[in-house]
Amino acid sequence: MNPKISVKNLHLHYGDFHALKGVSIEIRPCRVTAIIGPSGCGKSTFLRCLNRMNDTIEGVKTEGLITIDGEEILHTGADLIRLRKKVGMVFQRPNPFPLSIFENVAFGPKLHGVSGPKKGGRAPSLEEIVEKSLRAVNLWDELKDLLKDSALRLSLEQQQRLCIARLLAVNPEVLLMDEPCSALDPVATLRIEELIHEMKKDYTIVIVTHNMQQAARISGETAYFYLGELIEFGRTDRIFTSPEKKETEDYITGRFG
Amino acid sequence: MDFVGLPVPYTMKPRRISEFLIESAIFLAGTISILFVVLIFIFLAKEGFALFRTVSLWDFLAGKDWYPISYPPRFGALPLILGSVWVTLGAILISVPIGVACAVYIAEVAPHWLREILKASVEFLAAIPSIVLGFIGLVTLVPLVQSLFNISTGLTALAGSLMLGFMAMPTIVSIMEDALTAVPRSYREGALALGATHWQAIWRVVMPAASSGVIAAVMLGIGRVIGETMAVMMITGNAARIPTTLLQPVRTMTATIAAEMGEAVQGSPHYASLFAIGIVLFVITFIINLTADFFLHREK
Ligand SMILES: Nc1ncnc2c1ncn2[C@@H]1O[C@H](COP(=O)(O)OP(=O)(O)O)[C@@H](O)[C@H]1O
Ligand SMILES: [Mg+2]
């Protein structure tokens, strides 16, 4: 199977600081790939390369090759808007906009024009997209009568679900999640994990987590990063039962990290 | 914090006393400032309301003629109120769009080094005394307005509006810039990550998120404009007529008080009428500040 995302020899500098050192990895479509490693090892930095969010930080230099569906994304002429529509991102702290729930979900479709699978020969309406997206994250029943309320009133879990719904509304293919559960309690975490499990049949998901049980529970492949390098990458069950590298084993068995 | 082992009264006592003194001093300072506001208002009311023994409130607010020293005197303040309103509206139309654009540029677009220079320049602008600006306006703006519109005098509401718009800009820009900078980075990132362009992120997320501060900035800018005296007195022509266009001379409430207070006989209806104008100004500014406050502290 062709990889959805292919990264070759990726280097990234923050000014003088060498944050990613020659990362190469192939991410398969419709799978959950977990990125684990101690804090500060470059997990977020790597993730933010995949939708070029690092472009918003001054003094960042990226080298190497990243292709998504065979299309190179790092060259200067790349269409960032199309890229970010296709590769959505969920952040560590839920960051709904200070707008109504409806406006949060409708934000993307309003930017890019309403699109999506035709229904009875016509494009779906904004309301239909919002409903579909909220249903996909299991928020519709709770919130369908509160769509005009401010999104900031929701619980953290609801906010994070809303942020995922906001992405789904622009029909992405890849979802990047940077420790999406770190602000949530254990019960909410499990429910978000269930959601990720449901979504993986339709989306390629790359998730950063500092929680190894979580990686083991939800991912098909796991990548272990250490000090800006990709140390080991493979099937999650193998990484967690018989890692090839000593460093991986040390991290997984909790000897450091 | 407990200091285990030491007898509590012994360790607490000196601190208690100094704490008490500091708290009392702060309380006193706060009370005094409130007291002054109340006293000022009472004084204003006492002097101003004396006018209404001579003229009815309605004739004062809606009267079209301001002839305070003719016989019989006429105390119709409408031309003055409208003079202030016109000049202020003109100033807002000029300063708000430019101020907003300027604040957005400084907060969101300008590179770091330029941002610091621009912020410092804006603060410098705010520090120029209004009489100096008025003087510069008199020798530059007034002739410009006159030749541009080919009218007999450039001493017009428009010149005043331009001048005041310029004076309100630093207030608007610096408060709004603070409001925009305070918008969390995560909102911008969220918008960009959804494929928004830089401008879309600013207009659709950052501006709405900062809306309280944006509105407060505008209100405080208006407050600055409506209370300004010297500069407007120098360049608006000071004719107490109801203006129909911005190209006519007008006289504002502030300019009237400043110009006539020296010659009004203490205790006369003329004297009282100037205080009554003061009350009108006070009420207007009070409402503006209250509105600004409301937006600043509005719960999101
Ligand atoms: N904006 C930045 N400027 C400079 N250094 C940064 C920046 N962001 C992250 N770093 C550094 O890059 C390294 C990797 O950071 P990050 O990718 O956030 O790690 P992780 O997500 O694995 O905890 C860290 O050492 C961090 O200090
Ligand atoms: Mg991180």
Side-chain angles (χ1 to χ4, degrees):
Chain A
M1 196 172 3
N2 279 336
K4 183 79 177 172
I5 303 171
S6 155
V7 178
K8 291 206 183 77
N9 202 23
L10 178 68
H11 288 266
L12 184 140
H13 289 83
Y14 289 114
D16 296 334
F17 179 70
H18 200 172
L20 292 177
K21 302 169 185 164
V23 174
S24 299
I25 192 171
E26 297 205 325
I27 291 167
R28 295 164 61 193
C30 294
R31 305 277 292 181
V32 177
T33 303
I35 312 240
I36 61 171
S39 149
C41 66
K43 306 183 294 293
S44 300
T45 304
F46 172 73
L47 204 65
R48 292 162 61 91
C49 288
L50 302 181
N51 66 346
R52 291 198 41 189
M53 275 310 277
N54 288 321
D55 285 25
T56 61
I57 301 171
E58 273 178 57
V60 170
K61 202 160 94 259
T62 316
E63 291 154 276
L65 202 68
I66 302 180
T67 55
I68 297 182
D69 289 332
E71 208 179 320
E72 157 65 2
I73 65 160
L74 283 184
H75 68 277
T76 40
D79 181 348
L80 288 189
I81 293 173
R82 202 160 58 89
L83 170 68
R84 289 172 182 165
K85 265 177 73 179
K86 183 166 167 178
V87 184
M89 179 168 244
V90 180
F91 296 82
Q92 192 162 353
R93 277 210 66 85
N95 61 344
F97 304 131
L99 306 170
S100 71
I101 293 167
F102 183 91
E103 288 300 326
N104 263 276
V105 185
F107 189 85
K110 277 188 174 174
L111 289 182
H112 305 300
V114 176
S115 64
K118 297 269 193 293
K119 211 165 113 183
R122 66 180 175 88
S125 71
L126 207 53
E127 286 72 19
E128 284 165 348
I129 293 180
V130 170
E131 176 173 347
K132 183 161 165 270
S133 309
L134 285 173
R135 276 192 194 284
V137 298
N138 305 323
L139 272 183
W140 177 253
D141 293 326
E142 284 164 63
L143 299 186
K144 61 172 183 282
D145 300 320
L146 307 171
L147 295 179
K148 291 205 165 64
D149 283 17
S150 166
L152 303 186
R153 297 238 182 95
L154 299 176
S155 73
L156 279 178
E157 182 197 349
Q158 288 174 321
Q159 290 190 6
Q160 197 60 299
R161 282 176 190 270
L162 182 70
C163 290
I164 297 172
R166 189 170 76 181
L167 288 185
L168 301 188
V170 295
N171 291 312
E173 295 171 24
V174 179
L175 300 181
L176 308 174
M177 301 188 169
D178 192 349
E179 306 196 21
C181 301
S182 65
L184 307 182
D185 63 65
V187 178
T189 299
L190 283 180
R191 284 200 296 253
I192 297 280
E193 285 179 15
E194 259 168 50
L195 175 63
I196 292 172
H197 190 74
E198 283 170 32
M199 289 193 306
K200 79 172 175 211
K201 65 178 192 302
D202 300 314
Y203 304 95
T204 305
I205 297 174
V206 186
I207 180 171
V208 169
T209 173
H210 58 252
N211 176 337
M212 275 175 286
Q213 284 79 33
Q214 183 171 64
R217 279 193 300 263
I218 60 175
S219 67
E221 274 83 34
T222 295
Y224 172 61
F225 276 65
Y226 183 57
L227 294 180
E229 285 179 77
L230 175 63
I231 304 293
E232 190 165 354
F233 176 56
R235 290 185 58 94
T236 299
D237 45 11
R238 187 191 58 72
I239 295 265
F240 279 92
T241 51
S242 50
E244 279 164 9
K245 298 267 172 57
K246 177 88 171 51
E247 296 100 309
T248 318
E249 191 179 346
D250 285 350
Y251 181 69
I252 286 167
T253 53
R255 240 166 275 171
F256 83 103
Chain B
M1 223 185 286
D2 273 17
F3 294 97
V4 186
L6 291 174
V8 172
Y10 180 73
T11 52
M12 290 303 283
K13 220 169 186 180
R15 250 183 62 196
R16 276 267 172 84
I17 293 172
S18 68
E19 201 101 320
F20 173 78
L21 287 178
I22 292 170
E23 269 177 29
S24 317
I26 292 172
F27 176 75
L28 204 68
T31 324
I32 286 178
S33 64
I34 294 173
L35 189 73
F36 277 141
V37 173
V38 173
L39 283 180
I40 288 173
F41 187 73
I42 290 175
F43 181 73
L44 212 54
K46 181 178 140 296
E47 301 288 332
F49 282 135
L51 175 72
F52 302 122
R53 286 199 288 267
T54 332
V55 197
S56 76
L57 178 64
W58 176 251
D59 285 340
F60 172 67
L61 289 178
K64 293 194 182 66
D65 301 308
W66 180 259
Y67 303 128
I69 42 179
S70 64
Y71 189 83
R74 310 280 294 270
F75 295 108
L78 192 61
L80 315 177
I81 297 173
L82 287 180
S84 280
V85 168
W86 276 76
V87 172
T88 305
L89 279 182
I92 291 164
L93 283 180
I94 294 160
S95 61
V96 169
I98 300 178
V100 171
C102 190
V104 167
Y105 180 76
I106 294 179
E108 303 287 333
V109 186
H112 193 74
W113 60 271
L114 184 59
R115 178 173 313 171
E116 297 308 316
I117 296 177
L118 287 173
K119 277 172 74 169
S121 328
V122 166
E123 266 144 39
F124 178 73
L125 263 186
I128 301 176
S130 64
I131 189 91
V132 174
L133 283 177
F135 185 62
I136 296 175
L138 185 64
V139 295
T140 57
L141 270 180
V142 170
L144 184 74
V145 169
Q146 183 186 6
S147 62
L148 220 54
F149 294 94
N150 197 21
I151 43 183
S152 56
T153 172
L155 295 165
T156 53
L158 180 65
S161 293
L162 286 167
M163 183 79 259
L164 287 180
F166 189 70
M167 291 171 69
M169 223 136 14
T171 310
I172 295 179
V173 172
S174 59
I175 295 176
M176 195 175 302
E177 195 263 335
D178 283 346
L180 292 175
T181 313
V183 173
R185 189 180 158 77
S186 65
Y187 291 165
R188 294 185 184 87
E189 289 205 321
L192 294 177
L194 281 169
T197 63
H198 193 168
W199 285 113
Q200 286 171 327
I202 292 172
W203 287 117
R204 297 187 185 216
V205 178
V206 178
M207 291 289 277
S211 62
S212 300
V214 170
I215 293 169
V218 171
M219 297 313 283
L220 292 174
I222 296 174
R224 172 97 171 81
V225 166
I226 208 157
E228 175 52 41
T229 309
M230 293 320 291
V232 272
M233 198 156 90
M234 290 166 80
I235 63 176
T236 54
N238 293 321
R241 267 188 298 140
I242 293 182
T244 49
T245 76
L246 277 180
L247 292 177
Q248 288 172 341
V250 293
R251 175 194 276 202
T252 64
M253 292 186 278
T254 48
T256 307
I257 298 177
E260 297 178 11
M261 197 46 111
E263 63 205 39
V265 179
Q266 204 170 0
S268 67
H270 185 197
Y271 180 82
S273 71
L274 297 181
F275 278 95
I277 293 174
I279 296 175
V280 174
L281 260 178
F282 184 92
V283 170
I284 293 176
T285 354
F286 187 72
I287 291 173
I288 289 169
N289 281 340
L290 219 57
T291 321
D293 236 35
F294 170 76
F295 282 108
L296 268 182
H297 299 295
R298 183 175 56 170
E299 239 191 303
K300 288 262 173 67

